Amino acid sequence: MQGTAQTPPQPDTAYTPTDRTVPTRSPDRASYDRELVHAILDEAYVCHLGFVREGAPVVLPTLYARVGERLYVHGSTGSRPLRAAGQADPGLPVCLTVTHVDGLVLARSAFHHSINYRSVMVHGVAHDVTDPEEKRQALDALVDHVVPGRSADSRPADKKELAATAVIRLDLDEVSAKLRTGGVNDEPEDLALPHWAGVVPVRRAYGTPLPDPGLAPGTELPGYLTAL
């Protein structure tokens, strides 16, 4: 039986680089620091899951959550890639990526335009989560990853909804982070050009929550939403 979402493998300080996790371009931007990888993953909640289906590459944008050294991804049981994870033996080979854009780097030359970013790439084999308790815990983690505290403030999925939901697990083993920070890297001979250069910061922001028109009278805005 699979382990539960409460008992992931214990971490150490860094992931071991592999041929697939060492970038061929700008390898100095790569990091295998476990704490950095976790921080990048925990700040986002949309990933891109890549796999091969019927001989063609496919990339699926979807929600995910990290529980220790595991990532959980969910979707409909009608989703072909999630079905494939349950049908493949010993699982579905995948590549999962997460990216934050932190700034637009505008140089004097078009060639040196860039972005400041933080990204994580995970290679591995995804497995269908079939243990009911692990599945429930994984779905709670997915809800709380997007809005911390929300799973305790909503009705849990019933048997029919659980049957219609697929969850796959991907262990964090073959992992790397890659990031760019800092300013413009123009050529010395371009520094006198009359073009504005610098960094435009990019930040995520939440708007004021908009209540559903059918909200029950007296239902107040929960504290975990005001904290956003």
Side-chain angles (χ1 to χ4, degrees):
M1 186 177 77
Q2 299 177 25
T4 71
Q6 293 180 331
T7 57
Q10 294 301 306
D12 49 32
T13 58
Y15 297 102
T16 302
T18 70
D19 290 342
R20 294 195 295 186
T21 62
V22 176
T24 56
R25 188 174 185 275
S26 301
D28 56 302
R29 295 180 182 175
S31 173
Y32 305 93
D33 181 78
R34 198 174 298 265
E35 186 175 342
L36 174 63
V37 167
H38 289 181
I40 293 172
L41 291 172
D42 293 349
E43 190 176 333
Y45 38 74
V46 175
C47 70
H48 288 84
L49 184 70
F51 54 96
V52 175
R53 184 183 69 199
E54 298 174 355
V58 177
V59 177
L60 177 71
T62 186
L63 296 174
Y64 73 93
R66 182 183 70 86
V67 179
E69 288 299 304
R70 290 175 178 163
L71 295 181
Y72 289 96
V73 177
H74 94 301
S76 167
T77 52
S79 169
R80 282 187 287 183
L82 296 185
R83 275 207 318 269
Q87 297 168 352
D89 184 16
L92 180 67
V94 299
C95 177
L96 182 147
T97 63
V98 171
T99 303
H100 300 275
V101 176
D102 296 324
L104 310 179
V105 182
L106 308 181
R108 295 165 181 82
S109 67
F111 179 80
H112 284 296
H113 279 62
S114 187
I115 61 170
N116 284 340
Y117 66 91
R118 290 164 293 142
S119 66
V120 165
M121 179 176 290
V122 184
H123 294 275
V125 177
H127 298 275
D128 185 33
V129 176
T130 57
D131 178 71
E133 183 59 25
E134 181 182 9
K135 191 173 185 179
R136 287 183 181 277
Q137 292 179 17
L139 291 173
D140 283 348
L142 282 157
V143 172
D144 285 333
H145 182 53
V146 178
V147 181
R150 183 64 183 175
S151 67
D153 192 30
S154 56
R155 176 182 65 78
D158 58 27
K159 290 184 178 180
K160 182 179 179 181
E161 292 166 339
L162 284 174
T165 305
V167 177
I168 62 175
R169 182 195 72 220
L170 176 62
D171 289 342
L172 293 174
D173 183 25
E174 197 172 358
V175 187
S176 65
K178 193 176 181 184
L179 56 161
R180 185 201 191 276
T181 60
V184 176
N185 292 325
D186 266 320
E187 300 296 335
E189 60 268 24
D190 290 337
L191 296 181
L193 292 175
H195 310 304
W196 189 90
V199 177
V200 180
V202 176
R203 298 184 179 91
R204 186 176 69 189
Y206 292 98
T208 302
L210 305 174
D212 180 76
L215 203 63
T219 303
E220 298 182 355
L221 186 70
Y224 57 81
L225 288 183
T226 59
L228 287 178

